[in-house]
Amino acid sequence: MNYQSVVALIDLPQRQPTKKKLGETEVLLIRDGESVHAYQAKCPHAGAPLEQGAICGDKLVCPWHKAVFQIADGKMCEPLALADLRQYPVRIENGNVMVNPKAMSPAAPIGRGADSPVYAVLGSGAAGSAALWTLRHDGFKGRVVLVEREEDAPYDRTTLTKFVPAGKMKIDDVPQLLGGDVLEHIERLQANVTRVDSKQQRLIFEEGGELKFDKLLIASGGTPTRPDLPGSNLAGVHVLRNKRQTEALLTEVDKSQQIVIVGNSFIGMEMASALRNRNVEVTVIARHPVPFAKQFGEEIGQYFYDLHKSNGVKFVEGETASLEGEHHVTGLRLKDGKVIAADVVLFATGIKPATPFIHDLPLLDDGSLQADEQLRVAENIWVAGDIATYPSAQGPLRIEHYRVAHQQGRIAAKNMLDQNIVYDRVPFFWTAQFGTRYEYVGHAKEWDEYKLVGSLEDKKFIAFYGQQGQLAAISSCGMYTLTAKFVRKMQEPMTVEEGLALFEENKP
């Protein structure tokens, strides 16, 4: 198909993503000086409108989940997207921007497997999938072996507490993390690992047999905690981490139309929000009733408490002592003696690193592995995701965020390819509550300065958390392009004042 005129060059603003329609094809145009780049208009991860993205230096940042792409060629350089942007040929003729609606072919072929060396990835969650994608897209030609327990992994686990329980997505429609172009070049072993032999570089399987590896990424993720309480193993008592557990939980919820959630963690409150969308009766039991106060502070925590209450969520302050019932749960008894009736219970009380198969590598008190700045834990062995504790300017950190796992998996894979990259990325996460996305950039264990700008009630605000004058974190809602800029800007130290100035420059 021939090139078609889209817009006059003079009418295209400098360094501002602009969406145009070319027949049935939507394209994103980015003008940089007298040159123009044309890409797909939606982020390949979840379809975010890239015209609302932020341009920072030579990068384009997705407004929703903060995937980062090179402006020059559309290459993905920060997840969540595990894909490059589709690029369209562009010409400038007689002052007009001409675009060919037939997308360009990918510049570099995916690496194809030879018999050796063997690079193994244990786990295909966010971290493992990002590593698999990176190994192949960075051209590794050897044998890539994925070791995974779940038959239908890798898939997007974030949907299991957001869209699936809200009835907005069927369990069978949960998106896969990797496309066939990558999976067809990966060998898969469905197995349970009982031991990592780091000295002889082999994985020992419960089902028998072993796998010798040249390099290994351990990305086994986390296991939901089930408190050791009387009755915690009764029928009707659930934890949530995978599709099978989600399906079992929702089957029971659909029958009873009620649930008691123990814990007001992000998983617990996302489930509460999603299930209220289906008019399920939801009760949340927690020692401290205000959710997210530790992460966001009391003011914003109280906002979320009020938001949930106004949407029908019931809160009970207390600690669970036991679960009542003979074969199936009928209620929870609190330490103060009060009994809460329940025939479906979800423990949303956090996760622990899935590392029981680690025997010859030192584990920290929380069960995680201490990595160096390149995420290495031993010669030829790296870690990423929920099991990784890594050095930072704030001291050792272990962060259970989906995007952090993606980033760590990608960087660990690059280091498996001898690229020697330090993991120093600014953490980012988001949560969905009653149809609205709330975002958090950075990491603040504590803060001595706090400033909220905007309106909580209007769901358009940004809060700044400072420690000794330095900007440690921000939380926000309704300012997704701005937070995309903060994701990049906070890679360098910023003061709170500089953060406020960036807000003033970009406020809607």
Side-chain angles (χ1 to χ4, degrees):
M1 188 175 290
N2 295 330
Y3 284 79
Q4 299 179 28
S5 178
V6 179
V7 65
L9 180 63
I10 195 172
D11 294 331
L12 195 60
Q14 288 279 1
R15 295 177 59 77
Q16 179 179 319
T18 303
K19 184 174 73 173
K20 295 292 182 180
K21 202 157 188 182
L22 197 60
E24 296 300 313
T25 303
E26 291 182 338
V27 296
L28 184 81
L29 301 180
I30 301 177
R31 180 181 177 183
D32 192 2
E34 296 306 302
S35 64
V36 177
H37 304 280
Y39 298 109
Q40 65 187 83
K42 293 182 178 180
C43 180
H45 167 242
L50 290 177
E51 74 273 11
Q52 298 176 20
I55 290 183
C56 300
D58 59 353
K59 306 290 193 301
L60 169 67
V61 187
C62 169
W64 287 2
H65 305 112
K66 318 312 178 191
V68 182
F69 304 93
Q70 296 277 4
I71 290 176
D73 56 14
K75 298 293 184 185
M76 187 276 287
C77 48
E78 293 276 358
L80 288 178
L82 295 180
D84 299 325
L85 291 180
R86 191 165 58 249
Q87 187 172 12
Y88 296 89
V90 178
R91 294 177 183 168
I92 308 297
E93 294 182 359
N94 301 320
N96 291 317
V97 178
M98 312 288 291
V99 178
N100 189 325
K102 183 178 180 181
M104 298 165 62
S105 299
I110 294 174
R112 298 183 181 273
D115 290 338
S116 64
V118 177
Y119 283 16
V121 175
L122 177 51
S124 64
S129 293
L132 294 167
W133 189 90
T134 302
L135 288 172
R136 283 312 188 203
H137 276 259
D138 279 28
F140 176 64
K141 306 296 185 186
R143 183 181 169 202
V144 176
V145 182
L146 166 62
V147 181
E148 171 60 64
R149 291 171 298 180
E150 287 189 70
E151 182 179 1
D152 50 359
Y155 55 83
D156 185 350
R157 295 179 193 276
T158 67
T159 63
L160 301 183
T161 58
K162 297 177 173 72
F163 306 119
V164 172
K168 298 178 180 179
M169 179 184 291
K170 295 180 180 178
I171 197 90
D172 292 336
D173 295 333
V174 170
Q176 294 290 302
L177 293 179
L178 296 172
D181 61 333
V182 174
L183 290 174
E184 69 183 42
H185 300 303
I186 292 170
E187 179 180 342
R188 182 190 179 98
L189 289 176
Q190 187 176 352
N192 289 285
V193 174
T194 57
R195 186 160 63 92
V196 175
D197 185 339
S198 63
K199 302 295 186 292
Q200 297 187 33
Q201 295 190 184
R202 57 184 185 143
L203 299 176
I204 313 299
F205 300 130
E206 179 183 331
E207 298 82 359
E210 63 180 49
L211 173 69
K212 293 278 290 183
F213 60 83
D214 293 286
K215 294 184 180 180
L216 169 68
L217 172 65
I218 306 174
S220 50
T223 302
T225 58
R226 185 187 290 265
D228 185 17
L229 297 172
S232 63
N233 290 316
L234 287 168
V237 180
H238 300 261
V239 293
L240 183 61
R241 188 68 172 178
N242 58 43
K243 287 169 66 173
R244 177 181 54 80
Q245 292 168 337
T246 301
E247 191 168 27
L249 171 66
L250 294 181
T251 297
E252 293 194 12
V253 167
D254 285 341
K255 292 178 181 177
S256 69
Q257 285 298 298
Q258 64 82 35
I259 188 173
V260 173
I261 299 174
V262 181
N264 55 6
S265 64
F266 284 103
I267 285 179
M269 300 313 293
E270 285 182 356
M271 285 295 294
S273 164
L275 292 174
R276 284 301 298 149
N277 189 67
R278 294 160 64 151
N279 206 31
V280 172
E281 182 179 325
V282 178
T283 301
V284 175
I285 299 175
R287 286 180 295 175
H288 307 291
V290 177
F292 314 151
K294 182 179 178 181
Q295 293 84 5
F296 298 146
E298 288 291 334
E299 182 180 21
I300 296 179
Q302 186 65 45
Y303 161 79
F304 280 110
Y305 178 82
D306 295 339
L307 176 67
H308 277 260
K309 285 200 71 173
S310 68
N311 281 278
V313 176
K314 301 173 184 177
F315 288 90
V316 175
E317 183 174 358
E319 292 187 60
T320 304
S322 63
L323 291 96
E324 309 279 298
E326 290 190 22
H327 303 291
H328 195 287
V329 67
T330 58
L332 296 90
R333 183 176 296 277
L334 305 184
K335 288 186 176 180
D336 63 6
K338 184 177 181 180
V339 175
I340 308 297
D343 56 13
V344 183
V345 174
L346 171 65
F347 276 112
T349 47
I351 67 168
K352 58 184 178 181
T355 54
F357 53 85
I358 301 295
H359 302 292
D360 64 353
L361 296 170
L363 294 174
L364 299 177
D365 290 344
D366 63 358
S368 66
L369 287 153
Q370 176 66 62
D372 67 12
E373 60 184 8
Q374 294 183 14
L375 301 175
R376 186 186 294 105
V377 293
E379 185 176 2
N380 295 324
I381 300 178
W382 289 259
V383 294
D386 294 344
I387 65 170
T389 294
Y390 63 94
S392 76
Q394 302 177 45
L397 288 181
R398 183 175 74 88
I399 296 180
E400 300 167 357
H401 296 339
Y402 194 70
R403 187 174 188 264
V404 167
H406 267 282
Q407 290 174 308
Q408 289 181 345
R410 179 163 167 74
I411 287 179
K414 286 180 172 292
N415 290 332
M416 293 169 77
L417 298 173
D418 301 319
Q419 295 186 28
N420 300 319
I421 299 174
V422 171
Y423 178 73
D424 62 353
R425 314 314 293 164
V426 172
F428 164 80
F429 74 86
W430 77 99
T431 182
Q433 307 286 333
F434 297 102
T436 300
R437 190 172 68 256
Y438 300 86
E439 302 184 326
Y440 185 91
V441 183
H443 183 72
K445 290 183 178 179
E446 56 185 22
W447 54 89
D448 56 25
E449 186 176 357
Y450 164 81
K451 185 173 180 60
L452 177 71
V453 182
S455 169
L456 293 171
E457 289 70 26
D458 294 339
K459 299 180 182 179
K460 202 168 191 65
F461 67 86
I462 183 167
F464 297 85
Y465 305 84
Q467 180 66 20
Q468 296 181 341
Q470 294 296 302
L471 182 61
I474 61 168
S475 62
S476 76
C477 180
M479 300 186 181
Y480 309 119
T481 302
L482 177 59
T483 51
K485 290 189 176 184
F486 271 104
V487 163
R488 297 296 299 174
K489 294 287 188 181
M490 287 174 65
Q491 277 300 134
E492 301 295 330
M494 293 182 72
T495 64
V496 175
E497 291 303 317
E498 288 171 337
L500 288 164
L502 181 63
F503 163 76
E504 289 295 332
E505 292 170 9
N506 295 274
K507 67 181 180 180

